[in-house]
Amino acid sequence: MKNNQLPIGYWLKKADDLLTKGINKIQSEFGLNRTEWQVLNTVAGDEKITLKKLSELLKPFAGEEKITEILSRLLASNLIEGTASYSLTLHGKQLHTDCLQKQNEFRTFAMKEISKEQYEITIKTLTQLVSNLSEK
């Protein structure tokens, strides 16, 4: 079977697997995996975020129980602080800055030879696919 004959599900799964592998590799330098990075990055983007909101935003990647485990590890590592809502500590802000730099380098690498227009079309297509499937 030729590449262009493989179904969209194959490419979605393959892309996600490769993204996870790449992100895990770069974030492991900082003692994080992809999901831990996503929690740290989400907290950085919304200081005083609640567990409920984190769980809603990260639902495609992890359930509330997993997010609670990650929060416990980030709290124990002095990367975040809080109880009812969470924010980054000074140490967490520095780690986030360092991680984000590597993350941006990885994104640039992943997007090479993909134009802004191609990216926007892909996002629009996937958004519509999700919308269609959500109606079922």
Side-chain angles (χ1 to χ4, degrees):
M1 185 177 277
K2 294 180 182 178
N3 281 346
N4 64 352
Q5 295 174 330
L6 292 168
I8 194 168
Y10 171 87
W11 293 112
L12 290 171
K13 181 66 175 145
K14 185 73 172 174
D16 185 57
D17 288 347
L18 290 170
L19 285 169
T20 297
K21 181 180 175 184
I23 294 167
N24 282 345
K25 182 178 178 184
I26 62 171
Q27 296 303 346
S28 70
E29 296 175 31
F30 304 100
L32 302 173
N33 63 36
R34 182 182 187 186
T35 311
E36 291 166 336
W37 158 249
Q38 289 166 323
V39 171
L40 187 74
N41 192 49
T42 303
V43 171
D46 186 355
E47 291 288 321
K48 301 297 180 190
I49 192 167
T50 64
L51 173 60
K52 181 180 179 184
K53 188 168 182 186
L54 262 173
S55 296
E56 289 171 12
L57 292 170
L58 298 176
K59 190 175 185 177
F61 302 99
E64 189 171 314
E65 184 176 318
K66 181 69 173 174
I67 292 173
T68 300
E69 290 173 22
I70 292 170
L71 287 172
S72 293
R73 285 197 299 274
L74 296 177
L75 283 162
S77 299
N78 192 36
L79 296 172
I80 63 169
E81 58 190 1
T83 52
S85 63
Y86 303 93
S87 59
L88 296 181
T89 63
L90 288 176
H91 177 59
K93 288 177 183 179
Q94 183 58 56
L95 182 72
H96 177 262
T97 298
D98 295 343
C99 290
L100 185 58
Q101 179 184 343
K102 292 285 189 174
Q103 190 70 22
N104 286 335
E105 291 170 7
F106 180 70
R107 287 179 187 146
T108 298
F109 172 77
M111 297 304 296
K112 72 179 178 186
E113 298 185 34
I114 299 171
S115 70
K116 182 178 178 182
E117 180 183 69
Q118 289 171 313
Y119 178 81
E120 289 171 357
I121 289 169
T122 301
I123 295 300
K124 184 177 179 181
T125 300
L126 291 174
T127 300
Q128 186 61 53
L129 177 66
V130 168
S131 176
N132 292 347
L133 294 173
S134 296
E135 293 175 10
K136 280 255 170 206

